[in-house]
C-alpha cells in the first residue's frame, strides 16, 4: 500500500504560515511525505484550477491552505470537492473563533488592497528583471535570478522568461553560441536553478527560416543552415551537461507547457 503523501501548500499571500504548520505535522511522518509543493501569492481562479488538476494527478495528495479572500477560498474548496481532494484550512478555525468572540464577521476590505499591492509590485519587479536580464544583457543577473534559462537562438527563451515573470519568478536568459564561452556566473549557482532548452534540428531550421523571411532576409542564410544549427545544438548540449542542469525538449511545446515543467521543479525543490 502506497502511503506516501504529496502536500500542496496554497496561500493568497506568503506561504510561511502554511509551510510552518506543514513542517511541524510532516515531521511526525518522516518518509511518508514524498513531496511538498508550494504555491504562494495565488491571486486568481485559474491558478487554483491548475493546482487542483495537478493534485488530482497524485494518488495521495493533501492541500493545506491559508486562503483568506473569500471568493478564492470558496473556489479552492469547490475544486477540492470536485476532484475529491483532502483539504485543510489553517486560518478558518482561527477566524471563526475571532468572529464568534467579537461578533464581527471578517471582511476582505482589510486584505485585498494590501495583497493586490504586494502581488502587483512583485510581478512588476519580476517583469523588469526579465527585461533587464534578457538575452545575456547582464551576466550578474544570473546570480540574482530565481531561474536561469539557456538555449540557442529561437528556442523561446524570452517569452518563457516573461511568462514566468507573471508567475512572480525572476528569470534571466542567456543565449548559447559556440563562439562565446558561457559566463562563469553559471558555474557559481545551484544547478537546479538552471534550465536548458533543446529542440529538434529540423523544427529549428524551419523556425529560423520563417524568422528570416519575416525580417525580409534570405532564408538560406547561415543562421538557418542545418549544419550551423547542428553545431549550435551540440555546443548547447555540451554546456548543459557541464552545468548538470535540467534539460527540457521544447519541440512543439507551448511556452505554458515549458513553464509548467519549471514551476513544478521549483515547487518540488523549494527553490
Amino acid at each position: 500500500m502506497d502511503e506516501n503523501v504529496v502536500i500542496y501548500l496554497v496561500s493568497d499571500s506568503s506561504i510561511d504560515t502554511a509551510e510552518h504548520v506543514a513542517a511541524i505535522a510532516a515531521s511526525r511522518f518522516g518518509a511518508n511525505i514524498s513531496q511538498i509543493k508550494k504555491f504562494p501569492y495565488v491571486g486568481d481562479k485559474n491558478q487554483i484550477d491548475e493546482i487542483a488538476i495537478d493534485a488530482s494527478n497524485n494518488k495521495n495528495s493533501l492541500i493545506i491552505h491559508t486562503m483568506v479572500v473569500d471568493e478564492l477560498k470558496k473556489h479552492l474548496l469547490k475544486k477540492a470537492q470536485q476532484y475529491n481532494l483532502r483539504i485543510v484550512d489553517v486560518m478558518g478555525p482561527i477566524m471563526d473563533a475571532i468572529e464568534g468572540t467579537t461578533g464581527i464577521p471578517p471582511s476582505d476590505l482589510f486584505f485585498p488592497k494590501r495583497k493586490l499591492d504586494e502581488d502587483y509590485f512583485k510581478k512588476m519587479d519580476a517583469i523588469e528583471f526579465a527585461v533587464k536580464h534578457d538575452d545575456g544583457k547582464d551576466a550578474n543577473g544570473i546570480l540574482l535570478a530565481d531561474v536561469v534559462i539557456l538555449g540557442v537562438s529561437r528556442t523561446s527563451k524570452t517569452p518563457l522568461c516573461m511568462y514566468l515573470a507573471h508567475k512572480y519568478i525572476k528569470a534571466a536568459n542567456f543565449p548559447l553560441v559556440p563562439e562565446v564561452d558561457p559566463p562563469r556566473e553559471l558555474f557559481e549557482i545551484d544547478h537546479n536553478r538552471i534550465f536548458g532548452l533543446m529542440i529538434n534540428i529540423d523544427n529549428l531550421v524551419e523556425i529560423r527560416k520563417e524568422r528570416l523571411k519575416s525580417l525580409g532576409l534570405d532564408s538560406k542564410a547561415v543562421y538557418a543552415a542545418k549544419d550551423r544549427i547542428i553545431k549550435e545544438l551540440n555546443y548547447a548540449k555540451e554546456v548543459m551537461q557541464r552545468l548538470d542542469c535540467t534539460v527540457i525538449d521544447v519541440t512543439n511545446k507551448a511556452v505554458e507547457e515549458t513553464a509548467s515543467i519549471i514551476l513544478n521543479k521549483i515547487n518540488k525543490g523549494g527553490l
Side-chain angles (χ1 to χ4, degrees), residues 154 208-218 223:
R154 309 312 295 175
R208 288 193 178 181
K209 282 183 178 180
E210 289 302 315
R211 177 58 175 166
L212 289 171
K213 288 180 183 178
S214 70
L215 296 174
L217 301 174
D218 186 356
Y223 178 70

Side-chain angles (χ1 to χ4, degrees), residues 96-114:
D96 290 343
I98 294 174
E99 180 180 358
T101 302
T102 64
I104 302 172
S107 173
D108 288 346
L109 293 176
F110 299 103
F111 179 77
K113 186 179 188 305
R114 178 179 64 81

Side-chain angles (χ1 to χ4, degrees), residues 57-75:
N57 290 326
N58 290 299
K59 182 179 179 181
N60 294 322
S61 58
L62 168 64
I63 296 175
I64 299 176
H65 77 89
T66 56
M67 305 289 283
V68 296
V69 175
D70 193 52
E71 181 180 4
L72 297 178
K73 181 178 176 179
K74 287 180 178 177
H75 188 72

Side-chain angles (χ1 to χ4, degrees), residues 4 40 53 90 99 101 174 203 228-229:
N4 288 334
I53 291 172
V90 175
E99 180 180 358
T101 302
F174 198 91
N203 286 58
R228 171 63 188 183
I229 287 175

Side-chain angles (χ1 to χ4, degrees), residues 20-33:
H20 185 62
V21 171
I24 294 173
S27 66
R28 301 297 300 275
F29 296 90
N32 289 0
I33 306 300

Side-chain angles (χ1 to χ4, degrees), residues 199-242:
I199 189 171
N200 175 271
I201 295 170
D202 293 330
N203 286 58
L204 187 54
V205 168
E206 293 305 314
I207 290 171
R208 288 193 178 181
K209 282 183 178 180
E210 289 302 315
R211 177 58 175 166
L212 289 171
K213 288 180 183 178
S214 70
L215 296 174
L217 301 174
D218 186 356
S219 62
K220 296 181 180 180
V222 174
Y223 178 70
K226 190 168 185 177
D227 288 347
R228 171 63 188 183
I229 287 175
I230 291 174
K231 181 179 180 179
E232 288 186 31
L233 290 175
N234 285 339
Y235 172 73
K237 183 179 180 180
E238 176 192 334
V239 172
M240 292 172 195
Q241 287 176 340
R242 286 169 57 196

Side-chain angles (χ1 to χ4, degrees), residues 14-257:
S14 169
I15 205 72
D16 292 351
T17 301
E19 186 172 14
H20 185 62
V21 171
I24 294 173
S27 66
R28 301 297 300 275
F29 296 90
N32 289 0
I33 306 300
S34 60
Q35 190 178 143
I36 296 179
K37 296 189 175 186
K38 304 172 187 178
F39 299 90
Y41 301 102
V42 173
D44 60 62
K45 294 180 179 179
N46 288 333
Q47 287 178 275
I48 292 173
D49 292 346
E50 292 173 4
I51 294 168
I53 291 172
D54 189 80
S56 70
N57 290 326
N58 290 299
K59 182 179 179 181
N60 294 322
S61 58
L62 168 64
I63 296 175
I64 299 176
H65 77 89
T66 56
M67 305 289 283
V68 296
V69 175
D70 193 52
E71 181 180 4
L72 297 178
K73 181 178 176 179
K74 287 180 178 177
H75 188 72
L76 179 60
L77 179 60
K78 176 183 175 183
K79 287 296 173 179
Q81 293 173 337
Q82 177 182 340
Y83 292 104
N84 195 30
L85 302 170
R86 292 185 179 89
I87 185 167
V88 177
D89 181 357
V90 175
M91 296 296 294
I94 300 172
M95 295 179 69
D96 290 343
I98 294 174
E99 180 180 358
T101 302
T102 64
I104 302 172
S107 173
D108 288 346
L109 293 176
F110 299 103
F111 179 77
K113 186 179 188 305
R114 178 179 64 81
K115 178 189 174 300
L116 182 61
D117 288 344
E118 289 176 355
D119 286 355
Y120 176 79
F121 287 115
K122 188 175 181 181
K123 184 182 292 186
M124 289 302 103
D125 191 32
I127 291 173
E128 288 176 9
F129 186 92
V131 172
K132 183 177 180 181
H133 301 98
D134 180 46
D135 207 31
K137 289 178 184 175
D138 182 3
N140 286 328
I142 291 172
L143 302 176
L144 303 172
D146 295 321
V147 300
V148 179
I149 308 299
L150 303 177
V152 301
S153 176
R154 309 312 295 175
T155 48
S156 298
K157 297 184 299 298
T158 297
L160 175 59
C161 286
M162 294 305 296
Y163 184 91
L164 290 171
H166 281 80
K167 299 292 185 179
Y168 313 107
I169 302 297
K170 291 182 179 179
N173 76 78
F174 198 91
L176 295 178
V177 184
E179 294 76 19
V180 180
D181 291 334
R184 60 173 176 76
E185 287 85 355
L186 284 173
F187 298 90
E188 297 175 1
I189 64 173
D190 183 351
H191 67 96
N192 289 308
R193 289 165 53 193
I194 306 173
F195 296 85
L197 309 183
M198 292 296 287
I199 189 171
N200 175 271
I201 295 170
D202 293 330
N203 286 58
L204 187 54
V205 168
E206 293 305 314
I207 290 171
R208 288 193 178 181
K209 282 183 178 180
E210 289 302 315
R211 177 58 175 166
L212 289 171
K213 288 180 183 178
S214 70
L215 296 174
L217 301 174
D218 186 356
S219 62
K220 296 181 180 180
V222 174
Y223 178 70
K226 190 168 185 177
D227 288 347
R228 171 63 188 183
I229 287 175
I230 291 174
K231 181 179 180 179
E232 288 186 31
L233 290 175
N234 285 339
Y235 172 73
K237 183 179 180 180
E238 176 192 334
V239 172
M240 292 172 195
Q241 287 176 340
R242 286 169 57 196
L243 291 167
D244 190 27
C245 65
T246 299
V247 178
I248 303 172
D249 185 348
V250 298
T251 306
N252 298 323
K253 273 191 177 67
V255 168
E256 294 84 354
E257 292 179 84

